[in-house]
Amino acid sequence: MGTQLYLGVIVVALFATTVANAEIKVNCEKDSISITWRIHPMLVPYAARHFLGNCMASRFNVLPSGEGNAEFNYKLDDCNFKRLIKGKKLLYKNELTFRPRPRSSPASYVVPIECVYPRPEGWIPPFLNAGSGVAEGRGGLKFHMLLLNERITAVAETNVIPLGSFMPIWATVAQESHQPLLLLMEECVAATTPELQANSNVFPIITNKGCLLDSEKGNSMFLPRYHSSAITLYLQSFEFGLGEEVYIHCKLLAWDPEVLSESKKACHYVKENERWELLDDPMQSSICDCCSRTCNTRSKRGDEWESNGFRHTSVLGPLIIIDPSQQNTHNASDVSIADQD
């Protein structure tokens, strides 16, 4: 067994060395990108493990030399490109990655990709443009928070959770006619009461404007998003309130997906990389450095609309966390495991 693990490490190391010598050609067009990635013959059988963001190669050819050409031809709105404004420049950023192992493992090789364009004259982020219709129905946003089953395929059928197991908490905001929104969890605590009082005994889960504290101390994490308006907290159950009814209190915020900062973020600690990482753009993880101290909570813009109904407090519960050896002594409560709206 030890020999197999050792050989596996060697193979991954060889992959990384081989990919590092690859030839990559990038052509940034008006609203699209074309990339040709020359693949070493050793990696041709693993063509499906080369990605641009979350997109596989749109075409793959094996050359007479035995090498392969992975071609990526996509719109800049595809593949999780990040759009940023820097001064007079409009930037689109992404990454080419080679992932020989499961998606949950770090990429063996990463190549940053960037297209730079002149910033359009008079450009204002649509989300913050008062004339774009975003202001309509601000108070009508609908927030929800649910407990999912362990496979993350449906709403949980029980609220009894063995100590140390994971409880996926899914939060979402119904966007309806709004511009795309990014849902963030600003703060979350566990308490033994459905209402928080000044003297309530709480267990902090997310603090510091979006830092998942329990990811550093335990094994909790944010799962990759399937849509910007939803977020999944993969929370490991804890000893706080063991055997009692526990409620998860979260402050949710619907925010502009183009404007992330120390006060608007979703960060978790990745032990393999020994650093805090930004869920929505690991390339901007420096935003999360403040999770080890106190983050700047002052918002430079957006205060006006931020105070008009884009925040919401959700309470999930009751949940009952039990010692697995005592699981048979507890029955699931006859409740809907959703927020207490």
Side-chain angles (χ1 to χ4, degrees):
M1 185 65 172
T3 302
Q4 292 176 335
L5 289 174
Y6 178 74
L7 289 174
V9 172
I10 294 297
V11 169
V12 171
L14 288 174
F15 280 170
T17 303
T18 303
V19 177
N21 297 323
E23 181 183 352
I24 298 171
K25 295 180 179 179
V26 180
N27 183 26
C28 297
E29 300 173 7
K30 182 179 179 180
D31 59 356
S32 62
I33 189 169
S34 297
I35 299 175
T36 302
W37 190 351
R38 182 66 57 86
I39 305 300
H40 190 279
M42 175 183 174
L43 301 186
V44 168
Y46 305 93
R49 307 309 300 166
H50 296 75
F51 298 91
L52 171 64
N54 63 349
C55 294
M56 298 175 63
S58 47
R59 185 178 180 183
F60 189 86
N61 294 321
V62 179
L63 305 177
S65 63
E67 297 174 303
N69 265 352
E71 298 180 11
F72 298 85
N73 300 299
Y74 288 100
K75 295 288 186 181
L76 293 173
D77 291 332
D78 300 329
C79 306
N80 281 343
F81 269 92
K82 304 299 180 184
R83 186 176 66 175
L84 303 171
I85 292 292
K86 271 193 175 181
K88 295 183 179 181
K89 296 179 180 179
L90 175 62
L91 284 68
Y92 286 86
K93 292 188 174 186
N94 212 327
E95 292 179 334
L96 281 175
T97 57
F98 174 58
R99 297 179 176 275
R101 294 171 291 181
R103 186 174 179 179
S104 58
S105 302
S108 292
Y109 187 65
V110 178
V111 181
I113 299 294
E114 181 174 290
C115 290
V116 182
Y117 303 91
R119 174 174 172 168
E121 192 69 28
W123 185 88
I124 299 174
F127 192 87
L128 301 178
N129 185 353
S132 66
V134 177
E136 295 180 10
R138 283 180 176 174
L141 290 178
K142 297 180 180 179
F143 294 79
H144 300 283
M145 197 159 71
L146 303 168
L147 179 68
L148 304 181
N149 61 24
E150 290 183 338
R151 292 181 295 172
I152 319 176
T153 56
V155 176
E157 297 180 354
T158 177
N159 64 338
V160 176
I161 301 164
L163 178 64
S165 64
F166 287 91
M167 40 186 182
I169 297 175
W170 182 70
T172 184
V173 57
Q175 299 190 194
E176 298 179 354
S177 61
H178 289 263
Q179 294 284 343
L181 300 172
L182 182 71
L183 185 65
L184 300 171
M185 290 178 161
E186 286 193 309
E187 294 180 21
C188 288
V189 300
T192 54
T193 57
E195 295 182 1
L196 289 178
Q197 307 295 336
N199 59 349
S200 293
N201 185 22
V202 300
F203 175 79
I205 299 169
I206 297 175
T207 62
N208 221 353
K209 296 292 183 177
C211 301
L212 178 51
L213 186 65
D214 200 58
S215 64
E216 187 175 28
K217 297 179 179 179
N219 297 308
S220 301
M221 67 184 76
F222 289 116
L223 296 183
R225 293 185 193 262
Y226 290 95
H227 196 281
S228 65
S229 61
I231 188 168
T232 305
L233 169 60
Y234 198 55
L235 182 64
Q236 188 173 28
S237 56
F238 36 77
E239 291 186 354
F240 176 85
L242 191 65
E244 303 179 55
E245 290 189 346
V246 172
Y247 297 82
I248 308 295
H249 300 255
C250 288
K251 292 181 181 179
L252 305 178
L253 172 68
W255 185 246
D256 179 0
E258 304 289 344
V259 184
L260 299 174
S261 66
E262 286 191 9
S263 63
K264 307 292 185 298
K265 62 188 184 301
C267 301
H268 53 189
Y269 191 80
V270 179
K271 293 183 174 65
E272 294 85 351
N273 300 333
E274 297 184 342
R275 68 165 187 165
W276 288 91
E277 289 192 2
L278 186 66
L279 170 66
D280 298 293
D281 185 2
M283 289 185 286
Q284 295 189 68
S285 290
S286 58
I287 290 174
C288 301
D289 290 347
C290 66
C291 289
S292 299
R293 49 184 195 275
T294 300
C295 296
N296 179 13
T297 59
R298 296 183 62 185
S299 178
K300 295 182 179 179
R301 55 177 168 170
D303 291 336
E304 179 181 350
W305 69 261
E306 184 178 337
S307 63
N308 265 339
F310 280 77
R311 272 198 172 94
H312 179 77
T313 298
S314 284
V315 183
L316 177 68
L319 308 176
I320 303 174
I321 302 172
I322 62 166
D323 187 316
S325 63
Q326 301 176 355
Q327 186 165 2
N328 293 333
T329 65
H330 290 80
N331 295 317
S333 302
D334 186 17
V335 295
S336 174
I337 310 171
D339 49 353
Q340 307 278 313
D341 285 338

